[in-house]
Amino acid sequence: MTELAAAKAALKTQAVETPSWAYGNSGTRFKVFAQQGVPRSAREKLDDAAKVHEFTGVAPTVALHIPWDRVEDYAALARHAEDRGVRLGTINSNTFQDDDYRLGSICHPDAAVRRKAVDHLLECVDIMDATGSKDLKLWFADGTNYPGQDDVRARQDRLAEGLREVYERLGEGQRMLLEYKLFEPAFYTTDVPDWGTAYAHCLKLGERARVVVDTGHHAPGTNIEFIVATLLREGKLGGFDFNSRFYADDDLMVGAADPFQLFRIMYEVVRGGGFTSEVAFMLDQCHNIEAKIPAIIRSVMNVQEATAKALLVDRTALAEAQTSGDVLGANAVLMDAYDTDVRPLLREVRQEMGLDPEPLAAYRRSGWAERIVAERVGGQQAGWGA
């Protein structure tokens, strides 16, 4: 198989999970700008997600967020997803939107609050059982604002204890994905601030605990591809939350701020075998001012383009340049791949998959945007206020 044929074959197997919350109203802490046609229920979110998959062909699963997507019958919700041509994916917990969690959740100094938080995580595993989901994704807003506010080491002990209880509840084939974030909303210490902390906890928990890399959760200038390479080497990279940011955790469309960084990350994924392993590729974005479904389609396409370029790197030539100490030559091999216009290649891939070669144009012609504006009148739109 030629290099080009191998790249096309790999691209046809790619899967990017979209987040249910990206289809709802969102914004900053100052204001949420509501849009017409926004989903009013978990089912309507799945209807929109199905359109993204219909036109891209590589977004077959949808992540849920509990309690934002809480329903009475999760098995029925899973059937609804399947009827629309998608499946329910990662279950995301929420331990940051309750008054009890002002001083933390799973790391809170009060045992009663910790119990409440862990019980919620266990509920999420129950939901996984009902939906057939394999991944539980955990992000904690826990931390402190002032020196001396709490015992930093004790908080790590509480974190380890809570994670252990949830890990032991996981069923066969289920995984725990632990996310980290440099700061926010806590500003002095964050209880899971970096990949090393997340890795240390996952290492102690066991094989089914993995680290999630959110591309927006790092200090400026952080070499994210190094983190990705290291976690892949250790077999501890569970997945990505793809987004883009200019300053902090902006949750913009992936690749919007630094498409070259996305390419570098995807090259390490390809080089490290993560593209064909159990690494989960997820979007974690909020579309505050742009139309939501087109923004998600564009994000999926951005991931595809970065992946295609990564697959086209001449790894033999790169290895030869690296071995011989040819610094400029090695860099040129990477840049040649990055500078390749892969859009014609991706159009061919889509046509061979029976899809329209231009997903955004196909979506605009479909009339779905006009239909949901006309039909989704009344009720309570999904999202959160500010």
Side-chain angles (χ1 to χ4, degrees):
M1 183 180 293
T2 66
E3 178 184 272
L4 187 60
K8 291 171 71 173
L11 288 165
K12 291 175 184 178
T13 67
Q14 188 166 30
V16 180
E17 186 165 281
T18 68
S20 68
W21 54 95
Y23 299 96
N25 285 324
S26 60
T28 70
R29 59 192 176 95
F30 302 110
K31 172 66 177 175
V32 169
F33 297 99
Q35 299 184 16
Q36 292 183 307
V38 164
R40 299 160 297 177
S41 66
R43 289 190 174 217
E44 288 183 347
K45 293 178 186 178
L46 294 175
D47 294 343
D48 287 354
K51 289 298 174 181
V52 174
H53 183 50
E54 177 182 337
F55 294 111
T56 65
V58 294
T61 59
V62 187
L64 299 185
H65 211 296
I66 309 300
W68 299 342
D69 296 315
R70 181 169 280 145
V71 295
E72 291 186 2
D73 190 336
Y74 289 99
L77 187 66
R79 290 193 296 272
H80 179 80
E82 291 172 0
D83 289 342
R84 296 298 184 271
V86 292
R87 304 186 310 277
L88 300 184
T90 305
I91 301 299
N92 292 255
S93 62
N94 184 321
T95 56
F96 52 87
Q97 283 190 316
D98 192 293
D99 286 344
D100 285 342
Y101 299 144
R102 182 170 59 91
L103 300 179
S105 62
I106 195 172
C107 301
H108 199 287
D110 188 330
V113 176
R114 296 199 301 273
R115 183 70 260 160
K116 175 178 178 177
V118 171
D119 284 345
H120 168 66
L121 304 183
L122 295 174
E123 175 199 10
C124 288
V125 182
D126 292 339
I127 293 170
M128 293 170 65
D129 292 340
T131 60
S133 301
K134 75 169 188 175
D135 288 338
L136 170 67
K137 184 144 65 68
L138 307 178
W139 172 72
F140 300 106
D142 294 36
T144 64
N145 277 1
Y146 298 100
Q149 177 183 324
D150 200 358
D151 187 316
V152 173
R153 179 166 175 169
R155 292 179 73 90
Q156 289 295 309
D157 292 339
R158 299 167 198 155
L159 174 64
E161 181 181 0
L163 290 176
R164 170 59 62 184
E165 182 175 349
V166 178
Y167 183 82
E168 292 178 351
R169 165 63 183 83
L170 294 175
E172 185 177 354
Q174 294 177 342
R175 306 189 303 174
M176 172 189 290
L177 306 183
L178 182 59
E179 188 174 349
Y180 59 91
K181 187 175 183 179
L182 176 65
F183 79 103
E184 192 189 40
F187 293 104
Y188 174 60
T189 64
T190 302
D191 290 312
V192 190
D194 52 37
W195 72 273
T197 304
Y199 172 74
H201 281 283
C202 289
L203 193 62
K204 289 184 177 180
L205 287 169
E207 173 63 25
R208 290 183 292 160
R210 306 287 178 92
V211 179
V212 168
V213 175
D214 184 306
T215 51
H217 284 190
H218 304 83
T222 298
N223 190 318
I224 299 175
E225 57 267 30
F226 173 81
I227 298 171
V228 170
T230 301
L231 290 173
L232 275 169
R233 181 175 180 269
E234 298 297 324
K236 280 296 184 181
L237 180 63
F240 289 94
D241 273 2
F242 280 129
N243 53 51
S244 193
R245 57 99 169 162
F246 289 95
Y247 297 104
D249 185 24
D250 303 335
D251 279 349
L252 300 173
M253 292 190 302
V254 58
D258 189 350
F260 185 47
Q261 180 192 65
L262 181 60
F263 160 75
R264 299 194 310 265
I265 290 170
M266 290 310 302
Y267 173 70
E268 289 301 332
V269 170
V270 170
R271 183 254 180 272
F275 187 66
T276 55
S277 70
E278 293 186 344
V279 176
F281 300 98
M282 300 171 280
L283 302 181
D284 182 11
Q285 303 174 178
C286 294
H287 305 292
N288 303 337
I289 58 175
E290 65 270 34
K292 299 178 187 305
I293 298 175
I296 297 171
I297 291 175
R298 179 69 261 180
S299 296
V300 172
M301 293 171 66
N302 287 350
V303 175
Q304 286 182 296
E305 290 179 15
T307 305
K309 293 181 178 186
L311 288 165
L312 292 179
V313 171
D314 187 338
R315 291 169 61 182
T316 300
L318 181 60
E320 290 174 354
Q322 291 170 341
T323 301
S324 65
D326 184 356
V327 176
L328 293 180
N331 178 252
V333 172
L334 278 182
M335 295 309 300
D336 284 345
Y338 177 70
D339 289 336
T340 302
D341 184 357
V342 296
R343 291 175 297 177
L345 170 64
L346 286 165
R347 293 188 193 105
E348 289 183 20
V349 168
R350 294 184 188 111
Q351 287 178 316
E352 291 174 8
M353 293 173 67
L355 302 170
D356 191 290
E358 298 289 352
L360 277 172
Y363 171 73
R364 294 189 181 105
R365 291 194 306 268
S366 72
W368 184 255
E370 294 78 13
R371 175 179 169 180
I372 58 179
V373 168
E375 293 182 354
R376 295 175 184 173
V377 178
Q380 180 67 42
Q381 288 187 326
W384 59 90

